[in-house]
Amino acid sequence: MSTTFQRIVLASRPTGAVSPDNFRLETAPIPELTDGQVLVRNHYLSLDPYMRGRMNESKSYAAPQPLDEVMVGGTVGEVVESRHPKFAKGDSVVGMFGWQEYGVSDGTGIQKVDTSKIPLSAYLGPVGMPGVTAWYGLNQIIAPKAGETVVVSAASGAVGSVVGQLAKLAGCRAVGIAGGKEKCDYVVQELGFDACVDYKAAEDGKALYSMIKEATPDGVDGYFENVGGEVLDAVLARMNAFGRIAVCGMIAGYDGQPLPLKNPALILISRLKVEGFIVSEHMELWPQALAELGAGVASGKIKYRETIAQGLASAPEAFMGLLKGKNFGKQLVKLI
Ligand SMILES: NC(=O)c1ccc[n+]([C@@H]2O[C@H](COP(=O)([O-])OP(=O)(O)OC[C@H]3O[C@@H](n4cnc5c(N)ncnc54)[C@H](OP(=O)(O)O)[C@@H]3O)[C@@H](O)[C@H]2O)c1
């Protein structure tokens, strides 16, 4: 086994779009364990949009990522050495070791996972934080009834793909919004959504509205918002009375552009419930959500797709791609 490993720290904060020089690749010695600790070799790193917010200094729902420290991030890997009574060499674990090849834990913040029916990487996607996000926003906020229409933006992505599939399992009409024909074809043909609108094919907000209208002949009862901006304006205008909007993300504005809402009066006119949420604030529901999502993935009822970058050094480029929609499904980095 090597005596050193690689890690990526935040070197500087972006002004506008993220650039490679915001990150620094470092080599560090693999630490010696003390009693009660485990050493984990991370196999996959999850890249997620929330990391963009953490790179800013400004106040948010979570503290900023400190400069010169390992970038935050979810990981899955294998215990390679254990001096902890509850973990053995060879155990597969999910944790938050960040952008690095190894991690040390005293047992807190890591959970053993069963890879007999569910691939290890899925614990960072449909059976991990993104899946629970989809489950929470759909079931707890939109609370769809059979026969209703549910729309989700960033529909081919880690969260959106699960939202639409869960909506279908609940007996709803599921409509995605995604960037490009290939993503839309996947959403309908592979994931089983009823329709998908390619927002990149719309020339302006009016055309986007018409496309959404065509895909939602009975209007929209539930909207799972991942994007913001023009997409939100267009869906808002299609909402039925007493519709519910789960505000999960606003990725179109993460690089700093303000995203004004064109017509907030529609919230009143359509008597909408609009609720933002942060999935990590609802840990009490994770076991139930993960059990349902795990069963769905193991049985093949919930399908997913991954974009996998190779090697830790590729993480900054892959992350910048995620913020531009270059990923197709869950963005991961393979570390081994
Ligand atoms: N509230 C929470 O607790 C929570 C937890 C997890 C995730 N989230 C949010 O959920 C959303 C989806 O996250 P994810 O992990 O599933 O990511 P993802 O959908 O796998 O990837 C991001 C996708 O967003 C779309 N996108 C990127 N830039 C865009 C832009 N400028 N305008 C419009 N669309 C853009 C792209 O899809 P297209 O090519 O289709 O545009 C891209 O593939 C994000 O907003 C994220 O912040 C929130």
Side-chain angles (χ1 to χ4, degrees), residues 103-115:
V104 172
S105 165
D106 63 2
T108 49
I110 58 172
Q111 288 89 38
K112 275 190 240 183
V113 290
D114 179 0
T115 56

Side-chain angles (χ1 to χ4, degrees), residues 44-113:
Y44 291 95
L45 163 69
S46 173
L47 294 178
D48 296 274
Y50 74 84
M51 295 165 176
R52 176 65 189 86
R54 301 282 177 93
M55 293 173 81
N56 294 337
E57 188 132 49
S58 52
K59 190 170 171 273
S60 184
Y61 61 88
Q65 156 77 41
L67 286 172
D68 301 319
E69 287 189 15
V70 174
M71 279 290 295
V72 65
T75 48
V76 286
E78 183 188 346
V79 173
V80 287
E81 202 185 325
S82 178
R83 292 179 65 179
H84 190 292
K86 292 196 176 138
F87 293 91
K89 193 173 170 194
D91 282 348
S92 294
V93 292
V94 58
M96 284 293 292
F97 287 120
W99 295 28
Q100 56 183 347
E101 293 170 331
Y102 283 84
V104 172
S105 165
D106 63 2
T108 49
I110 58 172
Q111 288 89 38
K112 275 190 240 183
V113 290

Side-chain angles (χ1 to χ4, degrees), residues 11-248:
S12 60
R13 300 197 187 279
T15 46
V18 177
S19 71
D21 56 0
N22 295 135
F23 304 96
R24 188 172 62 248
L25 184 67
E26 295 182 346
T27 300
I30 293 177
E32 291 279 323
L33 294 190
T34 57
D35 278 346
Q37 290 186 323
V38 288
L39 178 68
V40 177
R41 176 63 168 103
N42 297 324
H43 287 205
Y44 291 95
L45 163 69
S46 173
L47 294 178
D48 296 274
Y50 74 84
M51 295 165 176
R52 176 65 189 86
R54 301 282 177 93
M55 293 173 81
N56 294 337
E57 188 132 49
S58 52
K59 190 170 171 273
S60 184
Y61 61 88
Q65 156 77 41
L67 286 172
D68 301 319
E69 287 189 15
V70 174
M71 279 290 295
V72 65
T75 48
V76 286
E78 183 188 346
V79 173
V80 287
E81 202 185 325
S82 178
R83 292 179 65 179
H84 190 292
K86 292 196 176 138
F87 293 91
K89 193 173 170 194
D91 282 348
S92 294
V93 292
V94 58
M96 284 293 292
F97 287 120
W99 295 28
Q100 56 183 347
E101 293 170 331
Y102 283 84
V104 172
S105 165
D106 63 2
T108 49
I110 58 172
Q111 288 89 38
K112 275 190 240 183
V113 290
D114 179 0
T115 56
S116 60
K117 294 196 185 83
I118 297 168
L120 184 61
S121 62
Y123 287 99
L124 295 175
V127 195
M129 184 277 284
V132 179
T133 303
W135 185 97
Y136 183 88
L138 184 74
N139 292 322
Q140 301 296 306
I141 298 177
I142 293 175
K145 295 180 211 59
E148 289 190 327
T149 297
V150 172
V151 174
V152 58
S153 50
S156 72
V159 174
S161 58
V162 178
V163 172
Q165 292 182 86
L166 292 180
K168 280 302 292 177
L169 290 170
C172 297
R173 176 175 174 81
V175 176
I177 300 174
K181 185 178 180 320
E182 204 191 347
K183 286 185 177 180
C184 278
D185 285 350
Y186 165 73
V187 161
V188 174
Q189 290 161 19
E190 301 286 326
L191 301 183
F193 285 41
D194 296 284
C196 186
V197 171
D198 172 8
Y199 73 91
K200 288 188 175 162
E203 279 142 29
D204 55 26
K206 212 169 144 197
L208 181 60
Y209 174 79
S210 302
M211 289 158 78
I212 293 170
K213 186 175 174 192
E214 199 179 316
T216 60
D218 298 326
V220 179
D221 303 293
Y223 178 43
F224 194 107
E225 174 61 305
N226 284 323
V227 163
E230 277 197 350
V231 173
L232 175 57
D233 285 327
V235 181
L236 200 54
R238 269 311 279 164
M239 294 299 297
N240 290 331
F242 305 106
R244 292 84 64 196
I245 302 183
V247 184
C248 172

Side-chain angles (χ1 to χ4, degrees), residues 49 133 157-159 178-179 183 199 226 248-249 254 277-279 322-323 327:
T133 303
V159 174
K183 286 185 177 180
Y199 73 91
N226 284 323
C248 172
Y254 288 0
F277 71 99
I278 299 298
V279 70
L322 171 75
L323 297 172
N327 64 308

